[in-house]
Amino acid sequence: MQFVPMFGNFAFMIVAFVVALSVIVAIHEYGHYIVGRWCGIDAEVFSLGFGPVVYSRMDKRGTKWQIAALPLGGYVKFLGDANAASVGSDGTVAEVDMRRTMLGAPLWARTATVAAGPVFNFILAILIFTGSIMYQGRSVEPLTFGELRELPPSFATELRGGDVLLSVEGFLFDDPERTDGLIDLLPMKERLDYVVLRDDEEIVAEGPFLMPTAVSAVTPRSAADDANIKVGDVITAIDGQPVFAFTQVQEIVKAAAGAPLQLTLWRDGRTVEVTLSPRRVDYPAPEGGFQTRWLMGISGQLFFDEKTEFVGVWAATKIGAQGLWNTMTTSLSALKHIIFGQISTCNLSGPVGIAETSGSMAEQGAQSFIWFIGALSAAVGLINLFPIPVLDGGHLMFFAYEAVARRKPSDRAVQVFMFVGLALILSMMSFTILNDTVLCP
């Protein structure tokens, strides 16, 4: 029976991974299919997964839609992918209109069809990021207290939801002349004086440190994740030393430089003890590039939810598009730094790491999991645009050659490049699996 919880967690991780991957693959392949159809290219098979077919149906256009047993990808088989003939149910072979095949379609149609897969992944990412912004809303100005977070009794406060924050310990909350963050200026005291506007009256109320030691997010596959720290946990002591501010936690972790730390947590009214060792992590720097830091893998937040207001569709879409751009540029920057040896190859994740991350994000709730699908969709779209034969970017590279040279590359050249591309992809997949399981578990 001791293996039951372990098996349950593993099964949950696999289900989350399959769901995330299936959504992304389905969108990617549907992009190829629907744009190909718009361009006059017929599809014979739309498959979600590989291997033995579990379910299939034929639509009125002659496309076979199927779900296969191995949910690790998918594909669209266009007419003429193997040859320019159609095999009937009676075994007879009939020549088909070459214009309706992938091989015989104009260059623009083939280019649009191949590029549609990554583009649809990008669209999915933008839609998810946009939906997240619209669901969360944005903070109203001036900053107003929403719901107060659940904290231990020692963090009790006189503040209420609806209070408008004016200043903390004499520092104006929204001072346009201040360049330093407010939290860095506050005295390191467990109780602070807040000036708030309540019912059109300024009052002074006592409350906890502005950013206490409550855990707002746990980074998948981090030391905190491995130690089973949960969102909502409050760190009350580290190695027996009481803490009340997230800044204290950061300073202790930095000073420990990877040494084991014993954390005392408050969780739903009870005390939990965990031990973990912070890890060196290559973290994106605000000014660009990466910086190496010791991290547990948790995030902090204010002790209250900020009152929010609705974000319009257009404004949210712009923020969603910016989120896609940030995801892509950060990923490319990380890859460049890995290639030049400036950051660790542990920043690369393969199927195992993605599966573990899927499970961790799903455990943190539907919103976190859906956001992860958006981020992963952006990454899948970006990777598919790499100019590597076998990937969509490789096909687009062949099309670019055809556009310049006014002729298709020879079959022999395509075969050689495809073999090299496949070898490269398999090598990278093997390395990332080794990375996830042995080198950077």
Side-chain angles (χ1 to χ4, degrees):
M1 293 298 294
Q2 63 180 323
F3 295 106
V4 172
M6 184 183 302
F7 176 77
N9 291 338
F10 177 77
F12 181 80
M13 178 187 72
I14 294 300
V15 170
F17 176 58
V18 169
V19 169
L21 190 61
S22 296
V23 170
I24 292 168
V25 169
I27 293 296
H28 181 96
E29 298 302 334
Y30 187 75
H32 288 314
Y33 164 78
I34 193 63
V35 173
R37 198 179 87 183
W38 292 340
C39 293
I41 304 174
D42 292 348
E44 294 184 302
V45 180
F46 183 107
S47 181
L48 189 59
F50 300 102
V53 177
V54 176
Y55 168 81
S56 68
R57 71 173 182 85
M58 189 74 70
D59 69 11
K60 62 183 180 180
R61 296 178 178 273
T63 302
K64 181 182 178 183
W65 297 74
Q66 66 183 37
I67 298 175
L70 300 176
L72 299 177
Y75 63 90
V76 176
K77 182 178 182 296
F78 287 103
L79 188 63
D81 277 354
N83 49 55
S86 177
V87 181
S89 58
D90 58 356
T92 60
V93 178
E95 292 298 320
V96 299
D97 179 6
M98 286 297 295
R99 175 59 182 84
R100 297 192 294 111
T101 70
M102 178 61 93
L103 293 176
L107 179 59
W108 66 265
R110 285 178 280 137
T111 301
T113 300
V114 170
V119 169
F120 269 53
N121 280 134
F122 296 149
I123 293 173
L124 174 63
I126 292 175
L127 289 176
I128 288 177
F129 295 157
T130 299
S132 296
I133 294 298
M134 295 183 68
Y135 175 78
Q136 295 173 357
R138 61 183 168 194
S139 301
V140 300
E141 295 182 0
L143 187 142
T144 304
F145 285 55
E147 183 178 351
L148 303 186
R149 306 195 188 285
E150 187 176 0
L151 297 171
S154 59
F155 290 78
T157 178
E158 299 172 352
L159 297 160
R160 304 175 187 172
D163 289 346
V164 177
L165 182 58
L166 301 179
S167 67
V168 186
E169 289 290 324
F171 294 99
L172 295 179
F173 183 79
D174 189 15
D175 185 352
E177 297 182 359
R178 189 181 66 240
T179 57
D180 296 327
L182 177 60
I183 292 177
D184 295 332
L185 300 176
L186 296 177
M188 197 56 62
K189 298 194 304 183
E190 192 168 358
R191 313 293 299 172
L192 301 176
D193 288 331
Y194 292 79
V195 177
V196 298
L197 189 65
R198 181 184 298 170
D199 299 328
D200 296 326
E201 179 183 357
E202 285 191 17
I203 66 169
V204 178
E206 192 177 71
F209 194 82
L210 189 60
M211 183 176 286
T213 53
V215 177
S216 65
V218 178
T219 303
R221 308 185 71 223
S222 64
D225 191 23
D226 291 345
N228 204 32
I229 292 179
K230 306 292 185 183
V231 173
D233 287 350
V234 180
I235 303 172
T236 57
I238 300 179
D239 288 340
Q241 174 186 343
V243 292
F244 56 84
F246 197 79
T247 304
Q248 293 175 307
V249 176
Q250 293 174 312
E251 292 174 349
I252 292 173
V253 169
K254 181 180 180 180
L261 298 173
Q262 184 177 23
L263 275 59
T264 303
L265 308 174
W266 180 88
R267 179 182 296 169
D268 298 327
R270 58 190 177 88
T271 299
V272 178
E273 301 281 347
V274 301
T275 301
L276 56 77
S277 297
R279 299 171 184 170
R280 290 179 68 95
V281 178
D282 297 307
Y283 198 78
E287 64 277 4
F290 288 79
Q291 55 186 357
T292 301
R293 298 164 54 186
W294 290 100
L295 299 175
M296 286 194 298
I298 62 173
S299 300
Q301 60 186 353
L302 305 178
F303 68 88
F304 56 90
D305 287 327
E306 300 175 35
K307 186 177 180 180
T308 59
E309 61 184 359
F310 176 75
V311 181
V313 175
W314 176 242
T317 301
K318 289 195 293 185
I319 297 174
Q322 184 62 49
L324 170 65
W325 178 254
N326 291 339
T327 300
M328 294 172 62
T329 53
T330 301
S331 298
L332 290 174
S333 177
L335 184 60
K336 183 189 75 172
H337 282 74
I338 290 172
I339 292 174
F340 287 99
Q342 296 170 326
I343 63 175
S344 171
T345 56
C346 290
N347 290 279
L348 282 175
S349 289
V352 176
I354 295 173
E356 292 178 349
T357 303
S358 300
S360 296
M361 297 302 284
E363 285 182 349
Q364 295 184 37
Q367 185 176 347
S368 296
F369 182 58
I370 293 173
W371 181 90
F372 168 72
I373 291 177
L376 186 59
S377 181
V380 168
L382 178 62
I383 290 172
N384 267 278
L385 285 179
F386 287 176
I388 300 174
V390 180
L391 298 179
D392 293 331
H395 291 288
L396 294 175
M397 180 176 64
F398 291 144
F399 296 159
Y401 170 84
E402 182 180 344
V404 174
R406 304 281 183 174
R407 67 177 186 274
K408 294 181 179 180
S410 67
D411 292 341
R412 177 60 179 168
V414 171
Q415 290 174 358
V416 170
F417 279 115
M418 285 294 186
F419 177 80
V420 173
L422 182 60
L424 180 61
I425 293 298
L426 292 177
S427 298
M428 285 299 299
M429 183 173 293
S430 300
F431 176 76
T432 55
I433 292 175
L434 183 68
N435 225 21
D436 293 336
T437 56
V438 179
L439 302 178
C440 312

